[in-house]
Amino acid sequence: MCLGNYLMRKAFIVVSLLYFTVLAIIIIYFVLQNNVETLLSIFFSEEIRFAIVLTLATSITASTLSLILSIPVAYSLANYSFKGKKAIELLTDLPLALPPILLSFALLLFLARNPIVKFLESMGFELLFTSYAIVIALLLYITPEVVKILYSAFSSVDRRYHMVLKTLGYGDFQSFLKVDLPLSAKGIASAFIVALARSIGAFGAILLVSGAIKGKTETLSIAIFLNWQGGNMDAAIAAATVLILISLILFYIFERIKK
Amino acid sequence: MIGIYDLEVVRGSFRLKISRLEIKDNEYFVVLGPSGSGKTTLLNTIAGFIRPVKGSIFIDGINVAGLPPEKRGLSYVFQDPLLLPHLSAFGNILLGSHGNVDTALKIAKQLGLDDLLEKYPSQLSRGQQQKVALARALAYNPKALLLDEPLSSLDRVSKEAMIDVLLRLKGKKTVIHVTHDLTEAFMLADRLAIICKGRVLAEGTPDEILHNPPNEKVAKFLGLTNFFKGKARVVGKDKSVVKIDDDVIIHVYGEYRGDVFLTISPSDIFVAKTLDSVTAANKFEGVIAKIVPRGVVDEIRVKVGSSTTFSVYLSKKAVKDLGLKVGNRVVIAFKKSAVIVNKI
């Protein structure tokens, strides 16, 4: 092997190892900050339990809704040619480029000034600064990525399977059920896990619409923020540890699905 | 019956035009042509995947040109088996029978797939996969079966097994089989059409096409390399002679006058050492210009005169026994019955 190739290979490997070592040190250092007894008592505190339940409930709801919404969008983009397709592709990409806080701010203004929302409020249905607002914000935040993953999954299905099914007398919807859904199952599961992971850790995207209200719209990421702001570092660390645990579980599931 | 009338299909710069093509019930019809000739385009148009610019396609008396593929009652077997990977062989056949277990089992049994039903496509050989694909298509009980080069990706053994299965369909199911393989076509077809550059060049039974190719293109496509144009005149009852280049005179059966073209299969010409030893009506002295290996036979090109060359197929053993070499003087001969005459 020539010297130039050898040096390049070694240098690149060293950079990779350094990066992941630093990352691992930070996470291990953070976990070591926990005092197990204090951590356990905080885990079972009402505030953290509420945050866990709210985080999981809003994340699962938003991820499920996002999947339901994204399947037809991604399928259309992957299989059909239609007017406005380019515009939809651009619009799905746009939120990926926007800072999450901007999304939250735009949604806050939209909901605050929307006559339908005002009408609902007059009927006693609160939307802003509630878990519903969190679900809506999460839906907007995660859907572009879900569409991207599903688009890739649907695009990889050999279109000749559709031709085979058509010549066996099956229509488009039956073909979708018998071919696309099963053959894209891994992609759909991956999209759901990624959506869940993004939702569970979302902060900027939900901060403004949720109002970050303790005990009402306090998800785990908001609990970290509120407790850090109030100087309660143990509670902040406990909330963060729960987030790490959930993320690791999701990461494990994601890796299993990939295989 | 399937009838195709005044069909015109445009795909970019390619244009497929068929004025009339009819496939009878339970007929095994082969569409034969080289790559890019339009045979798959024709099949896809019949199936409903391509919309023709004009024309009609009748299936059992109904014009289906405007119907989507799923309403035409035809099933299709592609070059690749395209079995759904998440379903077992039986699951795939059940897809064809729309969940009818009895039909699926009956077809599987007919095609000898009983032992493979639990297996998934990844556990099957290519030949077995293609058989399952055929079973799936048959389980739908289609009005006609469309086959797009179903044997081209199979090894020799699988191909032979599949040909056995296809031969069993003859007379029982209307089949339109597209291929570029002459042997396959002539082995399977009740009737066939030769298609080239989007046009049907010939249509008929294998015997009709092989023994009476309607033009030079078809003759060349069929590998009939001895192809000559000439002027014919009648010399007696059912006897004519044709004068081709180099004043070579060829005796033929039939009464022909004027411009004709002649085709003589290289397998119908034999080689002798001397003129006296040959009794055939057509015999010429020539020089071996080239010997070309053609698999199990050799093609001997014998030049007669300054520009007339005959190709002769001889087994390698015969070439060796006769000691044939380039530059040797030999006699070639063929019977009058070996000459196919077409009027120009």
Side-chain angles (χ1 to χ4, degrees):
Chain A
M1 189 188 292
C2 95
L3 185 65
N5 291 349
Y6 175 80
L7 286 176
M8 180 183 144
R9 179 188 154 94
K10 288 289 171 196
F12 278 30
I13 291 172
V14 167
V15 171
S16 312
L17 289 176
L18 265 177
Y19 170 73
F20 286 104
T21 309
V22 170
L23 195 70
I25 288 172
I26 291 171
I27 293 171
I28 292 165
Y29 175 79
F30 176 78
V31 172
L32 291 177
Q33 297 304 299
N34 288 297
N35 173 318
V36 178
E37 270 179 39
T38 324
L39 203 62
L40 280 175
S41 67
I42 296 169
F43 268 164
F44 296 107
S45 72
E46 202 178 323
E47 183 191 355
I48 297 299
R49 272 190 292 140
F50 175 84
I52 293 171
V53 171
L54 183 68
T55 304
L56 290 176
T58 51
S59 300
I60 291 169
T61 310
S63 301
T64 309
L65 290 175
S66 173
L67 210 56
I68 293 168
L69 184 71
S70 302
I71 285 175
V73 175
Y75 188 83
S76 310
L77 293 175
N79 289 287
Y80 302 141
S81 295
F82 55 93
K83 274 186 182 172
K85 183 174 172 175
K86 260 274 167 272
I88 292 180
E89 280 173 347
L90 277 174
L91 281 171
T92 17
D93 284 343
L94 185 65
L96 289 171
L98 290 176
I101 191 82
L102 197 73
L103 203 67
S104 186
F105 189 43
L107 184 62
L108 173 72
L109 291 181
F110 177 77
L111 292 179
R113 293 172 183 176
N114 192 302
I116 299 168
V117 178
K118 281 186 179 164
F119 170 74
L120 288 173
E121 278 175 357
S122 70
M123 301 291 287
F125 181 79
E126 292 287 328
L127 193 61
L128 259 181
F129 311 128
T130 65
S131 51
Y132 299 119
I134 295 177
V135 171
I136 296 172
L138 288 176
L139 191 61
L140 288 177
Y141 175 54
I142 60 179
T143 298
E145 200 159 349
V146 174
V147 169
K148 286 243 165 273
I149 298 169
L150 291 179
Y151 172 78
S152 162
F154 288 136
S155 300
S156 65
V157 174
D158 191 332
R159 295 191 74 168
R160 289 177 304 165
Y161 286 127
H162 296 168
M163 293 166 82
V164 169
L165 258 77
K166 274 181 183 289
T167 57
L168 294 175
Y170 293 100
D172 284 348
F173 186 64
Q174 285 167 310
S175 178
F176 169 72
L177 292 180
K178 288 181 188 295
V179 172
D180 297 281
L181 280 186
L183 293 185
S184 309
K186 274 189 178 185
I188 294 169
S190 299
F192 185 73
I193 296 297
V194 168
L196 212 54
R198 285 268 179 277
S199 304
I200 283 167
F203 176 67
I206 59 168
L207 184 65
L208 300 182
V209 285
S210 73
I213 304 163
K214 210 173 183 74
K216 189 185 175 192
T217 56
E218 189 181 6
T219 61
L220 283 166
S221 55
I222 285 176
I224 298 172
F225 172 68
L226 290 176
N227 283 298
W228 166 77
Q229 208 178 33
N232 187 355
M233 286 305 279
D234 284 341
I237 290 170
T241 308
V242 176
L243 267 184
I244 288 176
L245 281 174
I246 296 173
S247 301
L248 286 176
I249 293 167
L250 290 178
F251 176 71
Y252 174 75
I253 297 171
F254 185 68
E255 287 301 309
R256 295 282 302 193
I257 291 169
K258 274 208 293 187
K259 282 175 193 164
Chain B
M1 191 184 81
I2 297 179
I4 297 159
Y5 308 101
D6 289 325
L7 188 78
E8 192 169 337
V9 182
V10 178
R11 309 286 286 166
S13 59
F14 180 78
R15 196 173 284 263
L16 172 74
K17 274 178 116 169
I18 291 174
S19 52
R20 184 190 175 95
L21 195 64
E22 286 177 344
I23 295 122
K24 295 172 204 142
D25 285 338
N26 297 331
E27 182 173 53
Y28 201 112
F29 191 84
V30 174
V31 180
L32 177 67
S35 297
S37 57
K39 52 193 191 302
T40 299
T41 302
L42 172 63
L43 206 63
N44 284 340
T45 310
I46 297 170
F49 297 126
I50 297 173
R51 196 172 273 270
V53 175
K54 67 169 195 169
S56 44
I57 299 166
F58 281 88
I59 299 174
D60 292 345
I62 298 164
N63 187 1
V64 298
L67 289 181
E70 63 268 28
K71 302 278 184 201
R72 296 192 179 196
L74 307 169
S75 55
Y76 201 125
V77 176
F78 291 80
Q79 189 175 336
D80 296 324
L82 291 170
L83 299 180
L84 290 180
H86 59 286
L87 297 178
S88 64
F90 190 60
N92 272 284
I93 302 171
L94 267 182
L95 206 60
S97 69
H98 284 241
N100 187 323
V101 176
D102 291 341
T103 305
L105 281 172
K106 193 178 135 199
I107 298 285
K109 198 175 164 70
Q110 281 172 2
L111 299 196
L113 293 167
D114 315 46
D115 298 336
L116 306 173
L117 296 180
E118 300 302 314
K119 294 197 171 175
Y120 281 82
S122 59
Q123 299 167 305
L124 299 172
S125 71
R126 185 78 170 179
Q128 290 169 334
Q129 288 181 12
Q130 196 62 304
K131 262 192 190 180
V132 175
L134 182 67
R136 178 176 64 184
L138 288 170
Y140 180 49
N141 192 21
K143 290 173 189 160
L145 188 62
L146 310 179
L147 309 175
D148 186 10
E149 308 250 10
L151 309 175
S152 64
S153 62
L154 303 182
D155 58 57
R156 190 181 56 81
V157 176
S158 306
K159 199 181 246 185
E160 282 169 7
M162 191 72 175
I163 285 174
D164 278 347
V165 173
L166 294 176
L167 283 170
R168 275 188 265 148
L169 293 177
K170 288 185 74 158
K172 292 178 189 153
K173 188 61 86 189
T174 309
V175 179
I176 304 178
H177 179 142
V178 154
T179 183
H180 65 273
D181 188 309
L182 279 164
T183 318
E184 192 179 307
F186 281 86
M187 194 183 291
L188 290 164
D190 291 325
R191 278 194 318 129
L192 60 94
I194 295 178
I195 187 169
C196 188
K197 293 181 182 168
R199 303 286 186 280
V200 174
L201 300 181
E203 190 194 334
T205 64
D207 272 356
E208 283 167 359
I209 289 184
L210 199 59
H211 294 118
N212 195 12
N215 54 48
E216 187 175 352
K217 274 185 187 170
V218 173
K220 279 186 177 165
F221 182 73
L222 295 173
L224 301 172
T225 48
N226 296 310
F227 187 87
F228 309 101
K229 282 181 185 166
K231 279 212 182 295
R233 65 186 169 84
V234 178
V235 291
K237 190 172 167 40
D238 201 31
K239 287 178 194 168
S240 301
V241 290
V242 181
K243 191 174 170 185
I244 61 170
D245 289 348
D246 293 318
D247 289 338
V248 172
I249 303 287
I250 294 179
H251 298 262
V252 300
Y253 281 126
E255 295 176 8
Y256 298 96
R257 290 176 185 85
D259 293 333
V260 292
F261 65 82
L262 310 176
T263 318
I264 306 145
S265 166
S267 314
D268 289 340
I269 304 178
F270 49 95
V271 174
K273 290 267 183 185
T274 59
L275 278 169
D276 301 340
S277 60
V278 180
T279 54
N282 296 295
K283 48 187 174 181
F284 309 99
E285 268 190 311
V287 177
I288 297 178
K290 204 169 184 182
I291 299 177
V292 186
R294 298 270 184 218
V296 293
V297 296
D298 282 343
E299 180 189 345
I300 319 293
R301 292 187 189 158
V302 180
K303 205 166 178 186
V304 175
S306 61
S307 62
T308 307
T309 303
F310 287 87
S311 284
V312 184
Y313 284 169
L314 285 181
S315 70
K316 287 183 188 297
K317 185 175 181 300
V319 173
K320 197 178 165 191
D321 290 351
L322 290 167
L324 300 180
K325 288 196 175 70
V326 174
N328 283 171
R329 285 198 76 79
V330 288
V331 171
I332 55 161
F334 48 91
K335 295 175 180 171
K336 281 193 271 186
S337 59
V339 187
I340 301 160
V341 186
N342 288 87
K343 287 177 186 168
I344 297 176

